[in-house]
Amino acid sequence: MELLRKWLGHPEDIYNLLRFKMGGYRAVMPRIDPDSLGCGLRTCYRYLNQTSRSFAAVIQALDGELRHAVCIFYLVLRALDTVEDDMTIPVDVKVPMLHEFHSYLYQPEWKYMESKEKDRQVLEDFPTISMEFRNLSKVYRDVISDICEKMGFGMAEFLEKKVDSQHEWDKYCHYVAGLVGIGLSRLFSASELEDSIVGQDTELANSMGLFLQKTNIIRDYLEDQMEGREFWPREVWSRYAKKLSDLAKPENIEMAVQCLNDLITNALHHVPDVLTYLSRLKNQSVFNFCAIPQVMAIATLAACYNNQQVFKGVVKIRKGQAVTLMMDATNIQAVKAIMYQYVEEIYQKIPSTDPSSNKTQQVIASIRAMSLPGSSMASRHHYSPIYLSCAMLLAALSWQYLSTLSKATEEYVPAGEN
């Protein structure tokens, strides 16, 4: 009955889950016909769907040849990331692999068969991926190879180096996510679906990646701790604990939440750049591709802010909430309204005694100035009373069926990835 109570409290979730499942997803994430692809590309899209729940659907919704370029870009970086993550590869072997990985794109036979990682198929069948890479236009190949080289060197730098300062946190996030944003932006411009400024303004593109990566790092504190990884910057957490792991101890929960709020405030500073970046996009498929992860991120930060659960378990946004965000975030005014909504939610939760409260209020003020609500804000939450009444009745009569529906929707709804 807990599920029923959750849905009754958010009837718009039910309406949008039903609307999404009954065909609404096609407007946001139309699927490609696999029969229209050659054997190599079909294999690449299969690997894409196997290795990414978060990005597979939005990548496949991109227009024209850009779709294939981004698919291959993702798989190349997934292969690189698999090398970095594989702790069974000795460091003296791994570092040269990371440094040279971009060159493997032009070596038709190169593959790596010794990985123990779950996504090892992208290394074992790298010849198929590299072949499709070489089939891309030169403008795409140059971008992918360049970003792969920069990311490989950045990953090698942080292999045995902990993230100490906030500057290093930004640097680490740049290597693993900011470069992705820069590479994608250059691909958008190379496709001519977007203006050249989108690919040239690397500062804004970097912020797009940093906002997503910092959100994932903040949300995944407990999971990373359990797996022996530490990505929170020492400069911040050392103000609240002697060891990062101490934040998970019940007796330290007050300080832990203050540290959490401090890092969320840091991440929020990227939102103005995000809004500026999105305001430049013209192509609908590119806009959806970029906007959906960003609104998911702001909703996740709002759920995490001042929330002890980050140190006790998993914090997730509701499935119906995610679907609503996906279906709403299709134009810049709607995205501004969404950002406004969630920073207001954070603002209402700021404790007066929080050490970061002034900084949090200041960054929220700057976001407000860029995303003052207009008519789109009202329209986001306006549903016909008939629809809502029917949805609530449906929930009361068939909540178990909707539970199954919610699980099925995971096929389409992005989840965060590091």
Side-chain angles (χ1 to χ4, degrees), residues 239-240 254-255 257-259 261-262 265 305-306 350-360:
R239 296 198 290 263
Y240 303 93
E254 182 178 348
M255 298 296 282
V257 169
Q258 290 179 0
C259 182
N261 293 347
D262 200 339
T265 299
Y305 186 82
N306 210 48
I350 299 174
S352 58
T353 56
D354 191 278
S356 304
S357 61
N358 288 337
K359 291 191 296 182
T360 311

Side-chain angles (χ1 to χ4, degrees), residues 210-364:
L210 263 60
F211 185 58
L212 299 182
Q213 186 66 20
K214 288 181 178 181
T215 298
N216 288 341
I217 288 173
I218 291 166
R219 178 201 60 198
D220 293 341
Y221 165 84
L222 194 61
E223 178 185 331
D224 287 337
Q225 281 292 303
M226 292 172 66
E227 296 188 13
R229 300 189 298 254
E230 292 190 354
F231 298 113
W232 284 24
R234 177 187 296 271
E235 180 183 345
V236 176
W237 64 254
S238 63
R239 296 198 290 263
Y240 303 93
K242 291 183 178 179
K243 295 188 297 183
L244 182 56
S245 58
D246 288 345
L247 295 178
K249 296 178 180 178
E251 63 269 25
N252 297 328
I253 193 63
E254 182 178 348
M255 298 296 282
V257 169
Q258 290 179 0
C259 182
L260 170 70
N261 293 347
D262 200 339
L263 289 180
I264 290 176
T265 299
N266 177 294
L268 288 174
H269 281 89
H270 298 293
V271 173
D273 279 355
V274 167
L275 291 175
T276 301
Y277 181 98
L278 293 175
S279 69
R280 290 176 173 172
L281 301 179
K282 301 184 302 183
N283 178 270
Q284 188 64 59
S285 74
V286 172
F287 186 90
N288 293 348
F289 175 89
C290 295
I292 289 171
Q294 302 294 333
V295 296
M296 296 287 188
I298 192 67
T300 299
L301 289 182
C304 290
Y305 186 82
N306 210 48
N307 188 350
Q308 297 183 7
Q309 187 62 26
V310 172
F311 303 95
K312 300 175 181 178
V314 180
V315 175
K316 289 184 177 179
I317 59 176
R318 303 182 308 276
K319 189 66 62 178
Q321 181 184 8
V323 166
T324 297
L325 290 171
M326 289 170 60
M327 298 185 75
D328 282 356
T330 56
N331 63 78
I332 187 60
Q333 291 307 318
V335 170
K336 286 181 176 181
I338 292 167
M339 292 290 188
Y340 186 94
Q341 173 192 340
Y342 285 110
V343 296
E344 284 300 302
E345 185 177 312
I346 292 172
Y347 184 81
Q348 295 302 322
K349 294 193 290 186
I350 299 174
S352 58
T353 56
D354 191 278
S356 304
S357 61
N358 288 337
K359 291 191 296 182
T360 311
Q361 290 168 356
Q362 288 170 8
V363 69
I364 286 178

